Amino acid sequence: MSTYKSVAFANDNREKFIAMRRDLHQYPEPGWLEYRTAAMAADRLTELGYDLKVGKEVVKAESRMGVPDEAVMKAAMDRALQEGANPKWVEAMGYGFTGMVATLHFDDEGPTVAFRADIDSNDVMESTADDHLPVKEGFVSLHEKAMHACGHDAHLTMALGLAEYIATHKEGLHGTFKLILQPAEEGVRGAKSMVDAGVVDDVDIFFGMHIGINKNIAGCLACLNNGFLATTKLDVTFKGYSSHAGGSPELGKNSLLAACTAALNLQAISRHSKGNSCINVGVLESGTGRNVIPDRAYLQIETRGATGEVNDYICKRAYEVLNGAAAMYENEVDIKEMGSAPACINSEDLAKEVQVIAKDLGIFKDVPLANEGGGSEDCAYFLERVIGHGGRGTYMILGSDIAAPHHNPKFNIDEKDMINGIAFTGALIESYLQGKK
């Protein structure tokens, strides 16, 4: 049995943290709309004695990406208030500034250590099947077309568990602890705005972590992730001219054909020799009727690359294809960047130190140094800034026996792994705050 205080703390408070996670799961809120979620966290962090900065203090307005319109945000605010959100925090967050940074300063003798957690949900309709645990246990999503299908409810719960542990075990700690709660990770839309607001410019040691990812590492802790790709998310609108398909087809400027031409040729972009490169057209919408030449078409596209150079190459070629397709059909084309993230870099020396701590805890089946997961993560912006300023950082993977893949209607974590995550992060952050500069 582990002798670490954080392990006993996590296990002693197990039921409380499971209840917290299940409450968050019932009230999922997509990116930039996390009013109830963030307000609940703000109330708890204030109770624990943290200095709190919220809204525009920690989110740079012009760096936000993929922000919903004001009507959508107002509806989300109203719903959050109806569901018990503290009006003080909803007002402070305003229209789409749902990030916050909670700080505990001990003294000037130690480092500034930061931990980041993302708090948004997915645009997924949760399963109502009887074999889905949230259905069986009564904590299925109450919000239509919104679900915590990526584990961010567990991320926030672990972050608040970590915050409580540090706040109640202050003796012998030095320096500063910063807890960063980031909105809009889905679609990689939120981190850049917090980085540009300067929230990690004073950070010496930075940690991020994701639960799940790969069922094969359930019960394990990987100390860094090398697989997250650089990415760019694009919304594209073709604008043409409609006409009667039989009576005056020569007058039409067909946006559907422009979009289809683009979709096919985007897939034909040559891949890059310096690493993984890919592009996907996930949405194509157009047309109003069989006898009408479409004058609008809408695409959602993403590019990815093993490095920023590779992703920039794919993205540049995508712009050329989109503009070329528009010219072929005499359309205008509007291209908007809705999200982005660099490739994930880590400090391997820090990850090796994490590996020693995680192994010593004795709560994981295995503690591999690295996980080679795919996808993208905008936590990479935080890592890039901290490491670029001479600090160190790593992004860890907390394995869990997930019930279905991420972003699936039946996604669910094993809550015992979340409890282990609280125990681990408590020991981790405590260990770096016990040393002096």
Side-chain angles (χ1 to χ4, degrees), residues 82-407:
Q82 292 167 7
E83 294 174 344
N86 187 333
K88 168 187 172 181
W89 300 118
V90 174
E91 181 179 356
M93 289 181 280
Y95 283 85
F97 293 90
T98 43
M100 71 181 64
V101 177
T103 303
L104 272 185
H105 179 68
F106 306 106
D107 58 35
D108 295 330
E109 298 181 3
T112 297
V113 181
F115 186 88
R116 169 269 198 180
D118 39 12
I119 64 174
D120 57 322
S121 70
N122 306 89
D123 297 327
V124 172
M125 180 71 80
E126 186 159 14
S127 172
T128 56
D130 291 340
D131 62 346
H132 183 45
L133 184 69
V135 174
K136 289 196 290 185
E137 296 291 332
F139 64 97
V140 71
S141 171
L142 298 175
H143 293 168
E144 187 177 4
K145 296 181 181 178
M147 175 192 172
H148 274 295
C150 202
H152 297 185
D153 49 348
H155 291 180
L156 179 54
T157 302
M158 288 188 288
L160 294 175
L162 165 63
E164 181 176 341
Y165 178 74
I166 296 299
T168 55
H169 293 76
K170 296 179 183 179
E171 187 176 352
L173 301 187
H174 301 280
T176 302
F177 172 52
K178 297 180 79 169
L179 182 66
I180 300 165
L181 302 185
Q182 182 216 307
E185 187 281 325
E186 298 298 341
V188 289
R189 297 175 287 156
K192 188 175 188 298
S193 63
M194 297 191 80
V195 170
D196 288 352
V199 303
V200 292
D201 286 353
D202 62 342
V203 170
D204 301 301
I205 300 170
F206 176 89
F207 297 106
M209 187 170 74
H210 207 301
I211 196 167
I213 301 293
N214 185 344
K215 190 171 182 175
N216 294 329
I217 61 168
C220 303
L221 188 283
C223 306
L224 63 83
N225 186 88
N226 285 322
F228 288 137
L229 306 173
T231 187
T232 304
K233 316 297 186 186
L234 303 174
D235 280 5
V236 181
T237 303
F238 288 95
K239 303 173 184 177
Y241 189 80
S242 63
S243 66
H244 194 290
S248 53
E250 74 282 2
L251 299 179
K253 298 176 181 179
N254 197 315
S255 297
L256 174 57
L257 292 182
C260 289
T261 298
L264 290 172
N265 285 280
L266 287 167
Q267 301 299 327
I269 293 173
S270 297
R271 295 310 183 245
H272 203 286
S273 63
K274 292 186 177 180
N276 190 357
S277 55
C278 44
I279 187 166
N280 186 58
V281 180
V283 173
L284 194 165
E285 298 172 349
S286 184
T288 58
R290 72 180 72 251
N291 62 348
V292 180
I293 289 178
D295 65 347
R296 287 289 187 278
Y298 172 71
L299 299 173
Q300 288 185 2
I301 298 166
E302 66 170 19
T303 67
R304 297 186 197 256
T307 65
E309 177 188 358
V310 173
N311 185 63
D312 288 347
Y313 158 78
I314 295 290
C315 196
K316 178 177 180 291
R317 292 292 292 120
Y319 271 79
E320 292 168 351
V321 168
L322 292 165
N323 283 306
M328 285 178 65
Y329 292 94
E330 299 181 276
N331 271 232
E332 297 176 9
V333 63
D334 178 55
I335 307 171
K336 292 181 179 178
E337 186 172 311
M338 303 300 288
S340 68
C344 191
I345 57 171
N346 300 271
S347 302
E348 188 168 330
D349 60 336
L350 179 63
K352 288 179 178 177
E353 294 170 8
V354 171
Q355 189 176 36
V356 172
I357 295 167
K359 285 182 176 180
D360 197 32
L361 273 175
I363 60 176
F364 298 113
K365 289 193 299 185
D366 191 20
V367 185
L369 179 65
N371 176 71
E372 301 295 332
S376 301
E377 234 296 351
D378 67 355
C379 191
Y381 277 116
F382 291 110
L383 288 160
E384 183 179 64
R385 178 66 66 93
V386 170
I387 294 171
H389 282 192
R392 299 189 297 160
T394 191
Y395 192 88
M396 306 164 293
I397 304 299
L398 177 64
S400 187
D401 188 13
I402 53 178
H406 288 257
H407 300 195

Side-chain angles (χ1 to χ4, degrees), residues 21-28 138-143 148:
R21 180 254 166 169
R22 292 184 176 190
D23 176 79
L24 290 167
H25 192 90
Q26 283 189 288
Y27 299 96
F139 64 97
V140 71
S141 171
L142 298 175
H143 293 168
H148 274 295

